[in-house]
Amino acid sequence: MTAPHLALNVTALLLAGLLLLGLSLQRGWRQDQARWPHHALFFAVTVSLALSLFLLWRRHLPVWPLLPALALLLSMPLTRPGQANHWQRALLVTLAFMLGVLITVR
Protein backbone atom coordinates (compact mmCIF):
# COMPACT_ATOMS: atom_id res chain seq x y z
CA MET A 1 0.00 0.00 0.00
CA THR A 2 1.40 3.37 -1.00
CA ALA A 3 1.55 6.40 1.27
CA PRO A 4 -1.28 8.25 -0.55
CA HIS A 5 -3.53 5.19 -0.29
CA LEU A 6 -2.75 4.82 3.40
CA ALA A 7 -3.50 8.51 3.97
CA LEU A 8 -6.81 8.17 2.11
CA ASN A 9 -7.74 5.13 4.23
CA VAL A 10 -6.93 7.01 7.43
CA THR A 11 -8.97 9.97 6.21
CA ALA A 12 -11.91 7.67 5.44
CA LEU A 13 -11.77 6.16 8.94
CA LEU A 14 -11.55 9.57 10.58
CA LEU A 15 -14.43 10.85 8.46
CA ALA A 16 -16.57 7.85 9.43
CA GLY A 17 -15.80 8.49 13.10
CA LEU A 18 -16.64 12.17 12.67
CA LEU A 19 -19.99 11.31 11.08
CA LEU A 20 -20.87 8.78 13.76
CA LEU A 21 -19.93 11.15 16.57
CA GLY A 22 -21.88 13.97 14.93
CA LEU A 23 -24.90 11.72 14.54
CA SER A 24 -24.70 10.68 18.19
CA LEU A 25 -24.60 14.33 19.25
CA GLN A 26 -27.45 15.27 16.91
CA ARG A 27 -29.68 12.43 18.09
CA GLY A 28 -28.85 12.98 21.76
CA TRP A 29 -27.33 9.52 22.21
CA ARG A 30 -24.32 10.94 24.04
CA GLN A 31 -25.25 11.93 27.54
CA ASP A 32 -22.35 14.28 28.23
CA GLN A 33 -22.96 16.32 25.05
CA ALA A 34 -19.26 17.19 24.89
CA ARG A 35 -18.55 18.71 21.50
CA TRP A 36 -14.77 19.03 21.73
CA PRO A 37 -14.10 15.46 20.46
CA HIS A 38 -16.25 16.28 17.42
CA HIS A 39 -14.23 19.44 16.78
CA ALA A 40 -10.95 17.57 17.28
CA LEU A 41 -12.03 14.92 14.77
CA PHE A 42 -13.05 17.64 12.31
CA PHE A 43 -9.56 19.11 12.57
CA ALA A 44 -7.99 15.65 12.16
CA VAL A 45 -10.09 14.94 9.05
CA THR A 46 -9.13 18.29 7.54
CA VAL A 47 -5.42 17.76 8.18
CA SER A 48 -5.58 14.17 6.95
CA LEU A 49 -7.35 15.17 3.74
CA ALA A 50 -4.80 17.93 3.12
CA LEU A 51 -1.98 15.44 3.71
CA SER A 52 -3.63 12.99 1.31
CA LEU A 53 -3.82 15.69 -1.35
CA PHE A 54 -0.17 16.57 -0.83
CA LEU A 55 0.93 12.93 -1.09
CA LEU A 56 -1.15 12.41 -4.23
CA TRP A 57 0.34 15.55 -5.76
CA ARG A 58 3.89 14.40 -4.93
CA ARG A 59 3.24 11.11 -6.77
CA HIS A 60 1.82 13.01 -9.75
CA LEU A 61 -1.61 11.50 -9.21
CA PRO A 62 -4.77 13.54 -9.79
CA VAL A 63 -5.83 15.70 -6.85
CA TRP A 64 -8.74 17.49 -8.51
CA PRO A 65 -11.31 14.79 -7.65
CA LEU A 66 -10.81 15.41 -3.92
CA LEU A 67 -10.83 19.23 -4.05
CA PRO A 68 -14.67 19.46 -3.80
CA ALA A 69 -14.56 17.40 -0.60
CA LEU A 70 -11.93 19.73 0.86
CA ALA A 71 -13.90 22.82 -0.16
CA LEU A 72 -17.10 21.46 1.40
CA LEU A 73 -15.21 20.43 4.52
CA LEU A 74 -13.70 23.90 4.91
CA SER A 75 -17.16 25.44 4.50
CA MET A 76 -18.63 23.43 7.39
CA PRO A 77 -18.02 26.20 9.97
CA LEU A 78 -20.44 28.39 7.98
CA THR A 79 -23.30 26.09 9.00
CA ARG A 80 -24.96 25.92 12.39
CA PRO A 81 -24.69 22.69 14.38
CA GLY A 82 -28.05 21.08 14.92
CA GLN A 83 -29.51 22.63 11.78
CA ALA A 84 -30.36 20.69 8.66
CA ASN A 85 -27.72 22.45 6.57
CA HIS A 86 -25.00 21.16 8.92
CA TRP A 87 -25.75 17.45 8.54
CA GLN A 88 -26.61 17.88 4.86
CA ARG A 89 -23.23 19.45 4.20
CA ALA A 90 -21.58 16.66 6.21
CA LEU A 91 -23.23 14.10 3.93
CA LEU A 92 -22.09 16.07 0.87
CA VAL A 93 -18.52 16.05 2.21
CA THR A 94 -18.70 12.28 2.59
CA LEU A 95 -20.17 11.70 -0.86
CA ALA A 96 -17.66 14.05 -2.49
CA PHE A 97 -14.82 12.28 -0.67
CA MET A 98 -16.04 8.82 -1.70
CA LEU A 99 -16.49 9.87 -5.31
CA GLY A 100 -13.09 11.58 -5.31
CA VAL A 101 -11.39 8.48 -3.93
CA LEU A 102 -13.08 6.26 -6.53
CA ILE A 103 -11.87 8.52 -9.35
CA THR A 104 -8.38 8.94 -7.89
CA VAL A 105 -7.50 5.32 -7.15
CA ARG A 106 -9.00 3.56 -10.13
Side-chain angles (χ1 to χ4, degrees):
M1 179 177 289
T2 65
H5 292 112
L6 180 61
L8 287 171
N9 285 335
V10 168
T11 303
L13 287 173
L14 289 171
L15 185 57
L18 179 65
L19 285 172
L20 289 174
L21 183 56
L23 180 64
S24 72
L25 290 169
Q26 178 73 25
R27 302 293 298 163
W29 296 336
R30 297 222 19 226
Q31 298 301 320
D32 60 356
Q33 299 296 317
R35 299 209 183 274
W36 72 265
H38 187 64
H39 295 142
L41 266 177
F42 173 79
F43 180 75
V45 168
T46 305
V47 170
S48 180
L49 182 54
L51 176 64
S52 297
L53 288 170
F54 175 73
L55 292 172
L56 288 166
W57 174 77
R58 293 270 301 174
R59 292 256 178 145
H60 304 289
L61 296 170
V63 296
W64 65 266
L66 290 168
L67 291 178
L70 181 63
L72 286 167
L73 188 64
L74 292 175
S75 71
M76 281 298 293
L78 299 176
T79 64
R80 295 193 55 134
Q83 300 295 319
N85 64 350
H86 193 74
W87 65 262
Q88 289 167 350
R89 180 116 10 130
L91 288 178
L92 281 176
V93 168
T94 305
L95 292 174
F97 177 77
M98 288 177 7
L99 183 61
V101 168
L102 287 175
I103 292 171
T104 301
V105 298
R106 80 179 152 114

